[in-house]
Amino acid sequence: MSTQAQKILGIARAEKGYHEGRKSGHWNNDQKYSDETPGLEWSDFQAWCATFVSWCAMKAGLADLYPRTASCATGVAWFKQRGRFSAFPAIGAQVFFGKNGGTHTGLVYDYDDDPDGFIYTIEGNTNADGSPEGDGVYEKKHRRKDAYVFGYGYPAFAEGIKSADPAWKDRAPKPEPSKPKPPAPKPAPAKTSIVSLDPAVKPGVHHKQVKELQQLLIKAGYGPIKGAVTDFYGPETQRAVARFHDRNPKYRSGLHDPKIGPQGFIALQKQAGRR
């Protein structure tokens, strides 16, 4: 589930590469953000960095968390009035640049923990080469200690705000409680092709399982069984069972036992390759 900070930053970053209008060889500040932000339609053809932030907040459904204004100075005042202005960067914060923060603005999507490191921003009405003439939406980076960076307005995100400000540590987003892992499913019982012997299978009877018995005896090396494969547990089958008992006497119940028996039948299946 995305956080409120992730929502607005996702919308802002999706605008990267957007450019304002151009006329007579110059960029002219004609852009969509003024026309699409109620109350700021009048600001078209003017500097639009603050309007861009207002538009992103509106699109993210977070219009109440950022000032709706085309003025950077008004944005600074808006956050200060709410006690949500800091000299430290924060994820999703509105950063203000220049004298008293009135020159330029953008959104912070990341920052280095090292105070000598950078902040990483998404800004409208800027450019890639650092010249005064802005032309579109770009991802930028600035030194945290750059004198051009005036400060940061902190939106009141529902999840809290991740900030480098020590005074705001207790307002950082709380990690979601880890869900207990469901117990591992019990392993399914191993499939087996071993079958039980029908008690009706005994010398002298006709039974469909006798065919299986004869096939197993032959496969396990106790054949040949003349006349196999049939459903009759006759003398040939009995002699093959006797050969099985000669090699596996623990399954024999008497000196001459023509019955395979339930345990003997299981052992015979394993010898024939069943698992």
Side-chain angles (χ1 to χ4, degrees), residues 7-140:
K7 282 182 182 178
I8 188 168
L9 293 174
I11 287 168
R13 295 182 86 170
E15 294 299 300
K16 186 176 69 171
Y18 174 85
H19 289 283
E20 63 185 45
R22 192 171 176 84
K23 188 174 182 180
S24 302
H26 295 280
W27 302 103
N28 64 4
N29 285 328
D30 182 19
Q31 31 69 39
K32 66 180 182 179
Y33 306 111
S34 294
D35 290 338
E36 294 182 7
T37 307
L40 297 183
E41 297 89 347
W42 60 269
S43 65
D44 200 11
F45 294 99
Q46 300 187 43
W48 50 276
C49 55
T51 301
F52 171 68
V53 174
S54 297
W55 179 90
C56 291
M58 178 191 70
K59 289 293 184 180
L62 304 175
D64 292 342
L65 305 189
Y66 292 82
R68 179 166 297 193
T69 180
S71 164
C72 296
T74 299
V76 170
W78 190 92
F79 281 110
K80 284 187 172 182
Q81 287 168 3
R82 289 159 177 77
R84 303 190 69 85
F85 199 83
S86 173
F88 294 86
I91 304 300
Q94 185 169 356
V95 57
F96 295 91
F97 300 96
K99 185 178 180 181
N100 297 322
T103 303
H104 184 58
T105 190
L107 290 166
V108 177
Y109 69 83
D110 203 359
Y111 61 85
D112 293 330
D113 291 330
D114 183 351
D116 292 321
F118 291 89
I119 59 168
Y120 304 89
T121 61
I122 310 155
E123 303 168 24
N125 197 28
T126 187
N127 54 58
D129 58 16
S131 65
E133 187 176 36
D135 61 69
V137 179
Y138 293 83
E139 287 188 5
K140 308 274 284 185

Side-chain angles (χ1 to χ4, degrees), residues 118-188:
F118 291 89
I119 59 168
Y120 304 89
T121 61
I122 310 155
E123 303 168 24
N125 197 28
T126 187
N127 54 58
D129 58 16
S131 65
E133 187 176 36
D135 61 69
V137 179
Y138 293 83
E139 287 188 5
K140 308 274 284 185
K141 72 176 184 178
H142 307 267
R143 287 281 182 188
R144 282 183 55 173
K145 291 184 176 179
D146 190 337
Y148 184 54
V149 179
F150 177 70
Y152 306 85
Y154 286 6
F157 294 134
E159 69 271 11
I161 192 162
K162 181 180 182 295
S163 164
D165 191 334
W168 284 70
K169 277 188 177 179
D170 61 341
R171 307 191 209 187
K174 302 293 187 291
E176 290 188 13
S178 57
K179 295 180 181 178
K181 291 184 179 179
K186 293 181 180 179

